[in-house]
Amino acid sequence: MVLLPVDETVPRVASPSVQHVSLRKISTARNFHVNEIDADGEEAILTDTSVVKPVISSEEEANTDTIDPNEELVRLIKSENVKRIQEIVDGIGDSSVSIDVTDLSKEDRTAIHTRVKAVFGAAVVGSTVTEGDRKLIKITKYSNAVARDRREKWVWPHPYTYFLLYKENLDTIQATMMMGQKLHCAPSLLTYAGTKDRRAKTTQWMCIRTREPTKIIAAARSIPNARVGNFKFKPNTLKLGQLQGNRFRIALRQVTASDEIINSCMEEFREKGFINYYGLQRFGNCASVPTYKIGIELLKGNWKEACNLILQPREDEPPFMVEMRT
């Protein structure tokens, strides 16, 4: 918690929790920072906004440098088929070429598509089709009427892309809706461990399956007061509740009190903490202790009664909650 100097020109209100300290009532993002603590106890801090590149093994790199795509294509589909594809590009011969790949592995079929693109570029379009019990790769000349094969080879170590989302004056639900729109996917495909407040500067982990970091960065650029980074890849998705908590940094501005009182208050906060009063998630929705009853006592200033209601035992609570309330 940070205390900032007083400005006598600014109106102030008394804090209900600390009777002898006067402070300005402010609710802006610059005074409230929230950083998620993940399941491993690491604080979410955005430190790297660079575009990450996939790690290519030395063997793959060597193959990329030494393999002639034309020679490799001849090996995979024979020279006569390569010649027929060239005739399609030149506008002579058949309008399409069908290559029987029934006996080839998926890796070889993928290699054919890759080599065709490397040799002929965007001039042709390839797709794998099934006719009866046979698998065929069909190559046709590109035109606006023919759909491209937009499948991309996933080159990252795991299928789930994790990234940090830093945002200001934007809640998590709004952020996922805007990101989903830019990524052309349902917002529900973007997962997170917990929602974060709107009126704050917050940083949290997000997750989405098989989305390139470059596309996520491009999507975030169009969202006001949002940045992404610290990309990493994991085998499993991020689920709600997979976090240890949040670290809050709160600035109290326009404080008017002696150093002795301020230090005493800070020491009490440090040793005993304080109840975070407001919000359904703070009180729960137990029928025996309705949230509105606690709210009424708070509005009336009956702090003791409000505390008694908060600490009143609930039915079917886990043992650790019973212990906390008693």
Side-chain angles (χ1 to χ4, degrees):
M1 187 174 291
V2 180
L3 300 180
L4 301 175
V6 66
D7 180 351
E8 293 297 341
T9 64
V10 177
R12 295 179 292 276
V13 297
S15 166
S17 57
V18 184
Q19 295 298 328
H20 301 290
V21 177
S22 178
L23 62 151
R24 181 184 174 189
K25 187 178 182 181
I26 302 177
S27 179
T28 58
R30 68 195 182 104
N31 300 317
F32 188 27
H33 296 195
V34 183
N35 293 74
E36 188 172 88
I37 307 297
D38 67 17
D40 297 323
E42 295 294 325
E43 183 176 353
I45 301 176
L46 185 63
T47 58
D48 184 4
T49 58
S50 62
V51 179
V52 294
K53 296 181 179 180
V55 177
I56 301 176
S57 68
S58 56
E59 182 180 350
E60 289 176 322
E61 193 170 5
N63 288 339
T64 302
D65 293 338
T66 58
I67 293 177
D68 183 324
N70 193 52
E71 291 181 3
E72 181 69 2
L73 189 58
V74 169
R75 183 188 71 80
L76 290 166
I77 65 172
K78 309 302 181 185
S79 59
E80 57 266 28
N81 284 323
V82 176
K83 182 180 178 181
R84 290 171 65 196
I85 297 173
Q86 184 62 57
E87 289 175 349
I88 291 175
V89 174
D90 295 337
I92 59 177
D94 298 330
S95 60
S96 67
V97 174
S98 294
I99 304 165
D100 192 334
V101 292
T102 305
D103 298 328
L104 296 184
S105 66
K106 183 178 179 180
E107 289 73 19
D108 282 342
R109 295 197 300 270
T110 300
I112 291 172
H113 286 293
T114 302
R115 300 307 176 193
V116 167
K117 288 180 181 178
V119 174
F120 299 103
V124 295
V125 177
S127 60
T128 302
V129 297
T130 301
E131 294 184 1
D133 59 350
R134 313 297 291 174
K135 276 190 177 296
L136 305 174
I137 288 181
K138 190 173 183 179
I139 308 294
T140 57
K141 189 171 184 178
Y142 171 73
S143 71
N144 291 333
V146 178
R148 287 179 177 269
D149 182 1
R150 298 186 181 276
R151 291 175 297 179
E152 297 179 357
K153 183 180 179 182
W154 185 250
V155 296
W156 304 94
H158 298 293
Y160 290 96
T161 306
Y162 279 63
F163 60 95
L164 284 180
L165 170 66
Y166 169 88
K167 59 182 180 59
E168 299 178 20
N169 292 318
L170 192 69
D171 66 37
T172 303
I173 303 300
Q174 289 175 306
T176 55
M177 290 181 66
M178 296 172 76
M179 288 284 288
Q181 184 179 28
K182 298 301 179 182
L183 290 170
H184 306 290
C185 69
S188 59
L189 295 182
L190 286 149
T191 62
Y192 43 85
T195 57
K196 300 293 179 282
D197 297 288
R198 176 185 179 183
R199 294 180 179 86
K201 295 181 178 181
T202 73
T203 307
Q204 67 183 115
W205 282 106
M206 305 289 290
C207 173
I208 188 169
R209 181 180 172 86
T210 58
R211 282 298 194 283
E212 292 283 348
T214 52
K215 293 183 178 180
I216 296 171
I217 291 172
R221 285 198 188 105
S222 60
I223 300 175
N225 302 318
R227 295 197 297 274
V228 296
N230 292 68
F231 287 90
K232 57 185 178 180
F233 302 88
K234 294 187 177 184
N236 300 307
T237 189
L238 179 63
K239 295 182 180 180
L240 203 62
Q242 288 182 335
L243 76 168
Q244 291 190 12
N246 299 289
R247 186 179 301 281
F248 295 87
R249 293 177 177 85
I250 303 170
L252 300 182
R253 300 176 185 273
Q254 318 304 338
V255 177
T256 57
S258 67
D259 289 348
E260 182 181 358
I261 292 176
I262 291 173
N263 291 334
S264 174
C265 291
M266 293 298 99
E267 189 62 33
E268 187 172 342
F269 283 158
R270 188 178 294 110
E271 290 182 0
K272 300 179 181 179
F274 56 92
I275 295 175
N276 196 350
Y277 292 105
Y278 298 98
L280 178 63
Q281 62 178 326
R282 311 303 175 196
F283 301 138
N285 55 1
C286 177
S288 62
V289 187
T291 302
Y292 72 85
K293 287 188 176 181
I294 303 173
I296 289 173
E297 299 304 328
L298 290 173
L299 291 173
K300 292 165 65 176
N302 295 335
W303 313 118
K304 183 176 180 179
E305 182 58 29
C307 289
N308 287 336
L309 287 170
I310 293 170
L311 298 175
Q312 183 175 315
R314 273 72 160 164
E315 295 179 0
D316 301 323
E317 278 194 319
F320 77 92
M321 286 298 298
V322 174
E323 183 179 355
M324 289 173 64
R325 293 190 194 278
T326 56

